Amino acid sequence: MEMCENISQCGFFLNFKGNSEVLQKSWIKLFCEDKTKSEKCERKKIRKQTGKPPIDNMAPTGKIL
Ligand code: SF4
């Protein structure tokens, strides 16, 4: 399966993929590991709109951890 193209440079993925809430909510599976679903990621939208990534602790849903 094709993953989100930001995965290698995404601060959330790199630093929070092992976080207990992230694991519990399966956010990596629900967003990062599926390119189609990753289009709904709030982080990805912000990066596209502003050209910059949001703070690392913002989840794909927009929630601040
Ligand atoms: S958090 Fe969003 S931008 Fe980052 S890798 Fe996952 S889907 Fe892509």
Side-chain angles (χ1 to χ4, degrees):
M1 191 188 292
E2 199 178 348
M3 294 185 172
C4 172
E5 71 275 23
N6 293 336
I7 217 160
S8 65
Q9 50 183 344
C10 177
F12 176 81
F13 181 80
L14 296 173
N15 297 314
F16 288 89
K17 62 177 183 281
N19 174 281
S20 58
E21 185 176 5
V22 176
L23 291 169
Q24 192 206 342
K25 302 256 172 74
S26 301
W27 282 326
I28 300 300
K29 194 177 212 170
L30 292 175
F31 291 93
C32 313
E33 291 183 352
D34 185 322
K35 185 159 168 41
T36 305
K37 291 179 189 164
S38 76
E39 296 305 325
K40 295 204 155 88
C41 173
E42 294 300 326
R43 297 186 57 83
K44 196 166 182 173
K45 290 182 198 169
I46 288 172
R47 188 187 275 265
K48 272 189 190 153
Q49 282 162 9
T50 68
K52 289 186 231 153
I55 49 174
D56 289 357
N57 60 332
M58 192 185 118
T61 57
K63 182 181 177 182
I64 304 297
L65 296 176

